[in-house]
Structure formats: C-alpha cells, structure tokens
C-alpha cells in the first residue's frame, strides 16, 4: 500500500497524555497505519525494552537454542557447554548470512554460506582459508551478545542497554504471579496466530478492562464474575483480575477446575501479556510483522501435564482458549480495516479502559524522545 507523507512529530504530538481517562481521546489512526510510526516504535520502543524470547524449558539443556527475531534483528538464545545462557547475534560476521533457523540442539554454529564456525560462547573458532589475510584477528570476529535474563518460566532478552533487570522491573508482578514459580509448571504447547492488524490493535483489545468480554465473548463471559472485574496500574505493566462465576461450567465440569478462583491478566509494556488462571499460565506475545500485520504467540504451561486425565484437560483447555482467540482475531482485523478508513481518526476511552490509556501514554513518551 502507498502511504502519503506525514509530519511524524505533529502526529505524535496530537495525542494528549495529560488528561483523566474520562476526558482523553485515543491516538490518531496514523499511529496504527503509517510505516513511519512503526519505524519510530522499532527504534524507541522495541529496541529499548526487555523482550520476551522463549520459555525457560526450551533452553534448559546445554547446547539447546531458540532463534528469536526482535525489532529487525535476529538472535540465538542458547545455553553454552558450561550452562551459561546467552543471546548471540544470529548473523555471520563474514557476509551476514543468518546462522540458524527455528530451535534445536547444536555442537557449534556453522554458517550455511561458507562454513565459518563459531563456538556456543560466540567466539569464531574457524574461518576457512582466511589464514593468509592481512590484519585478520579472529578474536575480533565473535558474534555480538545482548543481555539475557531468566524470569521464572520465561526468558527475556534486551536489544539495547537495560536500565534495570527484568527482576527489578517486574518485582511487584512476581509477587502477584508467585504460583508460577512452582517447579511443576511445564511448557506444553506453542500456538501462533497471524493477524492482519497493527500490533497495538491486539494490545488495545486486551486492555479494555473487560469492556468487550460480555459483548464479544459470550462463552467466556458466563464463566467470569464480570461485575468484579478490576484493573490495577503499575509503572510499566498493569494487571486485570476477575473471579470465576460461581456456577460456571467448562466441558461439563465446574469451570473453576480450569481457572481456579479467577483469572489474572498481566500486560507488560510494550508487547507481552501473561494470563494466569487455575493451573495454567499462557502468553500473548505480540510480534509486529508490518504496520498492518502481526503474529501473536501463545505459549502454554500447565502444572499437571502427565497422564491421561491431564492430557484431556489440556486439550479441552487449549480448545477453549482457541475459541476466545478466534473471536479476538476477527474483531482485531475488523478494527484494522476501520482505522484505515478515511472516516475514522480518533476515538474515546470507556471508563474501564485506564490500562489502555496507560499503554498509549507510555508509548507516546517513548515515541517522542
Ligand atoms: S556468510 Fe557466513 S561464512 Fe560466509
Ligand atoms: Fe478478547
């Protein structure tokens, strides 16, 4: 699609961050449709924040790796021979071929192009027929590394220089999610949803304080006590909580078997959500793929994952999660078409949408710096 030029600074300045939510207007539609805004986000938001990388389980063993692409750069999160977790650049220092795809287990990193070989600590071990070159110091051709941190069942990496550790940034959330530290929580499944919408449309949908649940998710609404839905704001994240409805059913069972006493939905700026209910933890990790495209990655952990009963429970639970997700995908794609139409520019926040306003304010602050 061809986009007309915009005055980026002026478009960013149009959004007011100094009002109470009852008086504020949402960001202009250009924030959701113009590639200049996405380029600025890449630079000032994604490259300057901790980014979810993968479940800790997937890089538990020495020599295991997962490729993660963040904000235009490709990384390998891996555990080296000594058990040290690293996030290395996935780009060969010779002519820039990418070293590995997907995930797996490797002895060393061998470039598919001309065969330069790196150790799992990133050092260049061999470079075929390069011995006679002038001024070629192998030591200076290691793969660059970025900060990486394990936070309970999740691994994060930071594409830049973090001001604080994940543990510091999310300390109050760790307390709220404390049960996720239980060793029984095991990663059992990953599902990806490609969606034709700007990444923020999906986040906004998540942060409306339950406003859309009763209207869009009839199945889910009957299982939650929507009157008690609450949102709590913290510095760089927020938490929505809702108890389960007393008479709720889930596949012929008391729904509390699935969500326990209730659900906790945590959003971590900018693009990660953690959902905690019953014996389950899952992510909604929103990866921008273009100004009007994103992919949402769901990783699922269950605390009981062995045996026939657990298997059936997991299957039914994943199915219920997918039903809700399909409804969200359809509405997010509808919103993207809407913000792209000339008739729409800005909207207003419902009173329950304070979490969404918090997201837009943090974003505005970062986009303007
Ligand atoms: S690009 Fe990797 S060895 Fe040439
Ligand atoms: Fe939803």
């Amino acid at each position: 699609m061809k986009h007309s030029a915009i005055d980026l600074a002026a478009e960013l300045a149009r959004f007011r961050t100094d009002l109470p939510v009852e008086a504020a207007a949402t960001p202009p539609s250009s924030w959701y449709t113009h590639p200049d805004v996405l380029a600025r986000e890449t630079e000032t938001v994604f490259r300057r924040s901790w980014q979810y990388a993968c479940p800790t389980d997937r890089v538990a063993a020495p020599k295991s790796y997962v490729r993660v692409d963040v904000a235009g750069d490709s990384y390998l999160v891996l555990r080296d021979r000594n058990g040290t977790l690293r996030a290395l650049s996935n780009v060969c220092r010779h002519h820039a071929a990418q070293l590995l795809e997907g995930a797996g287990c490797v002895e060393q990193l061998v470039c598919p192009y001309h065969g330069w070989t790196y150790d799992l600590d990133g050092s260049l071990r061999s470079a075929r027929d390069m011995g006679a070159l002038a001024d070629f110091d192998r030591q200076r051709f290691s793969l660059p590394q970025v900060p990486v941190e394990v936070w309970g069942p999740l691994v994060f990496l930071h594409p830049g220089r973090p001001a604080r550790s994940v543990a510091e940034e999310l300390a109050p959330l760790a307390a709220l999610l404390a049960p996720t530290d239980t060793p029984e929580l095991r990663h059992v499944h990953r599902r990806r949803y490609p969606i034709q919408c700007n990444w923020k449309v999906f986040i906004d949908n998540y942060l409306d304080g339950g406003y859309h649940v009763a209207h869009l998710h009839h199945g889910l609404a009957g299982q939650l006590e929507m009157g008690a839905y609450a949102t709590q704001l913290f510095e760089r994240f927020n938490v929505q909580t809702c108890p389960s409805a007393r008479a709720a059913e889930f596949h012929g069972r008391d729904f509390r078997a699935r969500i326990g006493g209730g659900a906790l939905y945590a959003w971590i700026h900018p693009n990660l959500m953690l959902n905690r209910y019953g014996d389950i933890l899952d992510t909604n990790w929103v990866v921008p793929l273009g100004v009007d495209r994103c992919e949402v990655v769901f990783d699922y952990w269950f605390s009981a994952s062995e045996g026939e009963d657990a298997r059936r429970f997991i299957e039914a639970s994943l199915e219920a999660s997918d039903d809700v997700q399909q409804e969200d995908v359809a509405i997010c794609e509808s919103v993207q078409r809407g913000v792209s139409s000339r008739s729409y520019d800005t909207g207003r926040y419902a009173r329950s949408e304070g979490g969404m306003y918090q997201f837009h304010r943090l974003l505005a602050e970062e986009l303007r710096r």
Side-chain angles (χ1 to χ4, degrees), residues 13-255:
R14 282 177 59 208
F15 175 65
R16 298 257 322 251
T17 58
D18 58 337
L19 298 168
V21 68
E22 296 85 351
T26 59
S29 56
S30 60
W31 288 34
Y32 296 82
T33 57
H34 205 283
D36 289 1
V37 177
L38 180 64
R40 177 67 68 94
E41 285 168 349
T42 303
E43 198 57 50
T44 66
V45 179
F46 290 99
R47 289 185 180 157
R48 296 197 206 174
S49 58
W50 283 104
Q51 289 288 309
Y52 176 58
C54 65
T56 309
D57 285 7
R58 296 188 71 185
V59 283
K63 302 187 245 179
S64 54
Y65 79 89
V66 173
R67 172 184 165 154
V68 191
D69 292 351
V70 171
D73 291 309
S74 185
Y75 301 94
L76 298 172
V77 171
L78 58 77
R79 203 166 285 278
D80 71 16
R81 288 160 196 285
N82 302 321
T84 304
L85 191 68
R86 299 176 186 275
L88 305 174
S89 164
N90 186 31
V91 178
C92 181
R93 297 294 307 272
H94 178 222
H95 286 336
Q98 296 196 325
L99 299 167
L100 288 173
E101 303 285 339
C105 212
V106 281
E107 290 296 326
Q108 54 195 10
L109 309 172
V110 182
C111 180
Y113 198 172
H114 312 94
W116 281 28
T117 301
Y118 302 85
D119 230 321
L120 298 184
D121 65 2
S123 55
L124 178 61
R125 186 193 280 174
S126 69
R128 277 177 46 237
D129 303 332
M130 301 288 283
L133 286 195
D135 286 336
F136 182 65
D137 178 2
R138 198 175 292 176
Q139 314 278 324
R140 292 181 32 230
F141 284 80
S142 299
L143 299 171
Q145 305 193 30
V146 297
V148 63
E149 185 176 332
V150 171
W151 188 73
L154 315 175
V155 178
F156 288 82
L157 67 79
H158 197 298
R161 279 186 295 278
R164 291 183 298 182
S165 66
V166 178
E168 285 167 329
E169 196 166 303
L170 301 182
L173 181 58
L176 295 169
L177 287 171
T180 60
D181 287 336
T182 54
E184 315 89 68
L185 209 55
R186 300 245 326 256
H187 181 249
V188 298
H189 195 67
R190 167 171 280 199
R191 208 177 249 169
R192 297 164 182 274
Y193 291 90
I195 311 183
Q196 300 296 321
C197 74
N198 182 274
W199 68 279
K200 298 188 293 298
V201 169
F202 189 90
I203 310 267
D204 290 355
N205 173 60
Y206 187 93
L207 292 179
D208 72 0
Y211 194 35
H212 76 285
V213 174
H215 206 69
L216 186 73
H217 302 306
H218 296 293
L220 179 62
Q223 295 157 354
L224 293 168
E225 198 66 61
M226 292 306 295
Y229 205 103
T231 303
Q232 221 188 330
L233 309 185
F234 297 81
E235 197 183 330
R236 281 175 68 85
F237 66 90
N238 65 45
V239 173
Q240 301 171 73
T241 49
C242 191
S244 54
R246 216 159 299 152
E249 280 217 344
F250 170 65
H251 288 257
R253 305 165 60 169
D254 185 329
F255 189 65

